[in-house]
Amino acid sequence: MDFLDKLNPQQRQAVTAGAGPVLVLAGPGSGKTRVLTQRVAYLIASEGVRPYQMLAVTFTNKAAREMGSRLRDILGELPADGLWLGTFHSICARLLRRETEHLPFDASFVIYDEDDQQRVVKGAIRDLNLDEKTYRPQSVHGAISHAKNELIFPEDYPTQTYRDEVVKRVYKRYQELLKQNNAVDFDDLLLWTAHLLTEFPLVREKYAQRFHHVLVDEFQDTNFAQYVLLKHLASVHNNIFVVGDPDQSVYRWRGADYRNVQRFEQDFPDCHTILLEQNYRSRQTILDAAMAVIDRNPHRRRKSLFTERGAGEKLFYYEALDDYSEAAFVVDTIASLVASRSCEPGDCAVMYRTNAQSRLLEEAFLQARLPYRLVGAQRFYGRREVKDIIAYLRLIHNPADEISLERVINLPPRGIGDKTILALHTAARAANTSPSAVLMDLAGGDASPFWPQFTGRLASRSLPGAKRRGLPLADFGALLSNWRAEAPRLTVTELFDLITKDINYQAYIDDGTDEGAERWENVQELHRLTVEYEDRTLTDFLENVALISDQDTLVEGKNAPTLLTLHAAKGLEFGAVFIVGLDDGLLPHSRSFDEPEAMEEERRLFYVGITRAKDRLYLLRALRRGGRGYTEETIPSRYLDDIPPGLLSGKARAGRSSRLQTPAWLRSDPASATLQEAHFRAGMRVQHPTWGEGIVLNSRLQDNDETLDVVFESVGIKRLAACLANLTIMK
């Protein structure tokens, strides 16, 4: 139990809390994941709880992996096998596969990603002869997703307008198509699990009896469906331990409801509430600014964040002339920090409200020939070639998956056109079976009852390079039959190799261009991932690939600045953080102006961004935005007014200079003595005889002199030797 000695009093109180419901309100950087992990270790090592009697829920696969690794380090030889540890979606998928006798799909169901879901919605809209321009698939799917998160099935979908009636019809058809494909979407994983636990008391009792302890991370980001799940699973033993911070709830658009914290206190009136307020990440100045911002939100429990890391530098505030200058300032400042060895490139992050804001930043990095990594760009698993191979694997796993079949049936081209595919679907519907079943039956040749339906022009075409001539559908059916026959005895890697060899995928995807080589490298990267599943099943592989998140795909080890939205930043930390676009209309976003709850979330989003910074925080805005042509004047973000001026250095919000006291130092002979201390400070405004006014970014002692990085509005960032620069400190 030595690990308890390293906890602060509040952390120790949480880890060793007694039986019953426990609510831990954990400020940013307060070690909440550590508390959750050590709570599990404490229950195993001290309370004698068996690992299989516990359920621990995280919000990303990455967090689950880190938690599992930490548990192994803490427990040593004590076993942790049997612990149900993972994300809500992965745990629900695991539970559903065990209980499919009660469900409208079987255990081989596939999980459709966002692209697949959009295609199914479009198919449902077409089936109902609706206009996609009037009823946009993305909007309709959003309404369906919201309904599922509220545990509303199609037959119960509320209708107050004609559009609601249409959404209800599309929702019903969408679910029919998912069932037809033996598929579920992400929201279904929660919807059907909640349905199981609500409508089947014996199932609920089985799992509620099993899990003596239910532990949840990032509780503020749970939606209504997830909250209902947790209540059911903790209904027998009443030992539910939740960790979260309502001040960091920023996923309302995904259905997350910070009010679940209030529901928890109402539903568990005897809960033990513990505050974690000591921050291990940020300097106190950063925390003070964060608290000044978030304290303006109503209906919240105030936390007094403190740290033992010292005050640190003031926040650096900068107003650029336009959005191009804003991006240039970011890149120049990062280059300066790296050159002065104040930061590693990978310890810098640039955050913004919307993905569109990354464009000018990317251009600035490219112009400076500096590398960067972009979070939220096209995901690895969303790339064409990766989706191709995954579609093949999904089809082998679940032949009823028509979305995957549609993707690969003529890929690489094998002479199967749209008319052939239509004939295939017509034959399948007439026989009340799936198109894949027809394909595999056709592999038997003219003995198949379907053979006469595919004669003439269709029968005259064959699969290029195939060993046998005949119907191209039959050729592909033979491949699919063989893969399905081989799959049970092959590892995922061996099956991957068999598919790519049989379809000669490398020749198809690598056309000799740089782009082709990069695509094949992506295929090889997917191949490398399959090696990790040598002792696991194809089901495990497909499930994990489907449920992976953007943060799970964040490349580790790449020493380059990170560009990401404020939403994607939650859970991360960086030595130097730049928050750009601090203009009203961007942050807070104009879409939120008329909705108080949305404005509260925008404020929480800014709070999240501030608290990602460990040592340095730069707040930036532009006086004008719109590019090189037409531009618009901007208004500073109203949130900037909440930060006390004493915490800021740089240019004042009204465009005036920050007046910093001139140090009592006047150097008459630069070579007369060894320089013992720096005389310029970050944030000081200085005057150069040629370049005019500037702001000191940082200062360091080097070679018996003081080296400065100063940003001038006229020429940008310059590195200067103090003894030669002839700078005047402005009063």
Side-chain angles (χ1 to χ4, degrees):
M1 303 297 292
D2 293 344
F3 60 84
L4 293 178
D5 298 335
K6 300 178 182 178
L7 302 174
N8 67 41
Q10 290 73 33
Q11 291 175 331
R12 188 183 182 105
Q13 183 185 10
V15 169
T16 61
V22 178
L23 171 62
V24 180
L25 297 179
S30 62
K32 60 183 177 59
T33 304
R34 181 185 188 189
V35 164
L36 193 71
T37 304
Q38 298 199 10
R39 171 70 172 175
V40 174
Y42 173 79
L43 291 172
I44 294 173
S46 180
E47 299 298 306
V49 181
R50 304 295 185 189
Y52 62 82
Q53 296 174 321
M54 286 187 284
L55 169 67
V57 186
T58 65
F59 260 78
T60 65
N61 293 304
K62 179 182 177 183
R65 288 194 300 269
E66 290 176 354
M67 187 172 173
S69 177
R70 291 185 192 181
L71 272 175
R72 288 188 291 273
D73 291 341
I74 294 171
L75 293 173
E77 296 181 359
L78 284 175
D81 297 337
L83 171 69
W84 278 44
L85 169 62
T87 64
F88 271 103
H89 292 91
S90 65
I91 286 170
C92 286
R94 182 177 177 182
L95 193 151
L96 290 176
R97 292 194 196 278
R98 294 182 169 207
E99 305 294 339
T100 49
E101 62 182 290
H102 306 293
L103 299 167
F105 43 82
D106 65 41
S108 64
F109 67 81
V110 293
I111 303 168
Y112 279 173
D113 64 17
E114 292 181 13
D115 290 341
D116 300 326
Q117 293 165 34
Q118 290 292 327
R119 293 173 72 180
V120 178
V121 170
K122 288 180 180 179
I125 290 173
R126 286 195 300 269
D127 289 349
L128 296 171
N129 295 316
L130 297 168
D131 182 8
E132 284 189 28
K133 293 182 180 179
T134 304
Y135 303 102
R136 294 185 299 109
Q138 187 172 3
S139 175
V140 173
H141 181 259
I144 293 172
S145 176
H146 178 73
K148 290 184 176 183
N149 286 331
E150 294 295 318
L151 301 182
I152 299 171
F153 281 90
E155 56 270 21
D156 300 318
Y157 190 86
T159 54
Q160 295 181 335
T161 66
Y162 179 71
R163 184 180 185 278
D164 293 339
E165 292 281 358
V166 171
V167 171
K168 182 173 184 174
R169 290 163 54 204
V170 176
Y171 184 6
K172 182 174 182 293
R173 181 56 183 156
Y174 175 74
Q175 292 300 100
E176 290 171 351
L177 291 173
L178 289 177
K179 180 181 177 181
Q180 180 179 312
N181 286 271
N182 194 34
V184 298
D185 63 20
F186 297 142
D187 299 314
D188 278 330
L189 294 172
L190 304 176
L191 176 71
W192 285 113
T193 306
H195 172 76
L196 261 180
L197 299 178
T198 302
E199 301 298 328
F200 297 90
L202 292 179
V203 176
R204 178 175 66 246
E205 186 79 7
K206 177 169 70 173
Y207 290 99
Q209 283 284 4
R210 171 175 181 150
F211 297 128
H212 290 218
H213 290 268
V214 176
L215 305 97
V216 188
D217 196 8
E218 303 288 3
F219 183 66
Q220 77 282 346
D221 290 331
T222 53
N223 59 31
F224 179 69
Q226 291 162 336
Y227 184 74
V228 169
L229 289 175
L230 294 172
K231 280 189 64 180
H232 282 320
L233 293 172
S235 59
V236 171
H237 299 287
N238 209 38
N239 293 323
I240 181 167
F241 183 96
V242 301
V243 184
D245 182 5
D247 290 336
Q248 295 185 74
S249 180
V250 294
Y251 296 129
R252 181 169 172 261
W253 50 279
R254 288 184 186 170
D257 190 348
Y258 72 96
R259 289 170 298 192
N260 279 346
V261 174
Q262 298 169 6
R263 292 190 180 105
F264 186 88
E265 292 179 297
Q266 293 167 1
D267 292 339
F268 299 95
D270 59 337
C271 74
H272 185 191
T273 301
I274 301 166
L275 297 182
L276 299 185
E277 298 175 302
Q278 183 171 353
N279 180 287
Y280 293 89
R281 175 189 301 151
S282 305
R283 301 286 187 173
Q284 190 64 51
T285 301
I286 294 172
L287 297 179
D288 290 344
M291 286 187 289
V293 168
I294 201 62
D295 280 346
R296 298 294 297 273
N297 263 359
H299 315 303
R300 54 178 293 275
R301 183 172 304 188
R302 190 179 189 280
K303 293 183 291 294
S304 298
L305 304 179
F306 69 95
T307 183
E308 295 179 354
R309 296 197 61 228
E313 298 179 4
K314 291 184 177 183
L315 283 59
F316 196 94
Y317 175 68
Y318 182 70
E319 281 181 344
L321 292 175
D322 56 26
D323 37 10
Y324 283 87
S325 301
E326 179 185 54
F329 177 89
V330 169
V331 173
D332 289 347
T333 304
I334 290 176
S336 173
L337 290 172
V338 172
S340 65
R341 298 183 179 177
S342 300
C343 274
E344 286 292 315
D347 210 23
C348 300
V350 190
M351 301 176 186
Y352 35 83
R353 176 62 178 83
T354 66
N355 275 308
Q357 291 172 260
S358 74
R359 182 181 66 85
L360 291 182
L361 291 162
E362 290 185 76
E363 288 181 6
F365 274 99
L366 291 171
Q367 284 183 348
R369 298 185 178 180
L370 294 176
Y372 63 92
R373 56 180 181 172
L374 181 65
V375 176
Q378 186 183 29
R379 298 171 61 232
F380 174 78
Y381 296 100
R383 292 170 182 161
R384 186 188 95 186
E385 55 277 10
V386 174
K387 288 181 71 71
D388 288 349
I389 302 301
I390 290 175
Y392 271 106
L393 292 169
R394 282 194 345 193
L395 184 62
I396 294 166
H397 173 65
N398 172 27
D401 180 3
E402 293 185 25
I403 295 294
S404 293
L405 176 63
E406 181 183 339
R407 184 179 190 94
V408 302
I409 192 170
N410 196 42
L411 186 150
R414 49 177 61 94
I416 301 175
D418 291 342
K419 291 184 178 180
T420 308
I421 294 172
L422 178 60
L424 173 65
H425 282 272
T426 301
R429 281 197 297 271
N432 195 27
T433 188
S434 69
S436 293
V438 175
L439 278 173
M440 290 186 284
D441 197 78
L442 285 170
D446 54 13
S448 168
F450 298 105
W451 190 266
Q453 300 180 49
F454 298 91
T455 56
R457 183 183 62 82
L458 299 181
S460 68
R461 299 161 66 187
S462 63
L463 176 64
K467 295 181 180 178
R468 55 185 292 276
R469 295 189 62 81
L471 193 66
L473 289 176
D475 293 328
F476 183 57
L479 285 174
L480 182 56
S481 294
N482 182 58
W483 293 331
R484 281 187 52 77
E486 293 290 325
R489 70 175 189 84
L490 299 179
T491 65
V492 179
T493 303
E494 291 169 338
L495 182 59
F496 185 107
D497 291 338
L498 180 63
I499 295 167
T500 52
K501 177 177 176 293
D502 283 349
I503 65 175
N504 199 11
Y505 192 71
Q506 182 175 6
Y508 167 69
I509 203 70
D510 187 357
D511 56 5
T513 64
D514 290 343
E515 183 181 3
E518 183 176 338
R519 286 176 176 167
W520 180 244
E521 176 55 35
N522 288 332
V523 175
Q524 293 301 98
E525 180 60 32
L526 184 65
H527 182 273
R528 285 188 281 273
L529 176 65
T530 66
V531 176
E532 299 178 17
Y533 290 79
E534 184 175 355
D535 300 322
R536 302 172 69 184
T537 66
L538 178 59
T539 300
D540 294 331
F541 175 78
L542 292 173
E543 186 172 297
N544 287 342
V545 165
L547 298 179
I548 210 151
S549 69
D550 283 344
Q551 283 196 12
D552 294 323
T553 59
L554 188 60
V555 179
E556 301 291 346
K558 184 177 181 181
N559 193 15
T562 301
L563 278 57
L564 72 171
T565 65
L566 288 163
H567 281 104
K570 203 161 80 69
L572 303 177
E573 59 181 36
F574 302 90
V577 168
F578 297 75
I579 303 179
V580 302
L582 285 171
D583 310 317
D584 257 22
L586 281 177
L587 186 68
H589 199 280
S590 56
R591 289 194 302 264
S592 305
F593 283 172
D594 297 328
E595 191 176 352
E597 279 201 4
M599 288 295 286
E600 290 173 22
E601 180 157 309
E602 293 289 300
R603 185 180 292 277
R604 293 196 294 269
L605 198 56
F606 187 32
Y607 172 78
V608 165
I610 291 172
T611 55
R612 299 311 94 194
K614 294 193 288 188
D615 299 306
R616 292 180 173 86
L617 178 61
Y618 298 81
L619 306 176
L620 294 91
R621 64 172 300 264
L623 296 173
R624 293 183 294 275
R625 292 191 184 276
R628 300 297 190 191
Y630 174 76
T631 61
E632 290 184 347
E633 299 286 332
T634 63
I635 300 173
S637 170
R638 64 194 72 187
Y639 299 152
L640 289 169
D641 290 328
D642 300 328
I643 301 175
L647 301 179
L648 294 170
S649 64
K651 181 176 285 190
R653 285 189 283 275
R656 297 183 297 272
S657 301
S658 296
R659 305 302 183 184
L660 301 176
Q661 185 177 358
T662 304
W665 168 71
L666 180 62
R667 189 167 189 168
S668 56
D669 182 3
S672 61
T674 300
L675 192 61
Q676 298 294 326
E677 60 178 334
H679 298 285
F680 290 87
R681 298 191 305 273
M684 279 185 171
R685 292 197 65 85
V686 295
Q687 179 79 27
H688 187 274
T690 302
W691 298 321
E693 289 188 18
I695 303 173
V696 177
L697 293 176
N698 57 65
S699 168
R700 62 203 170 280
L701 302 181
Q702 184 176 352
D703 299 330
N704 197 32
D705 194 9
E706 186 174 0
T707 302
L708 309 174
D709 291 315
V710 183
V711 58
F712 297 95
E713 291 191 9
S714 59
V715 293
I717 293 178
K718 293 292 183 180
R719 178 160 295 165
L720 308 169
C723 65
L724 302 175
N726 196 19
L727 293 174
T728 302
I729 297 173
M730 300 177 64
K731 296 183 179 180

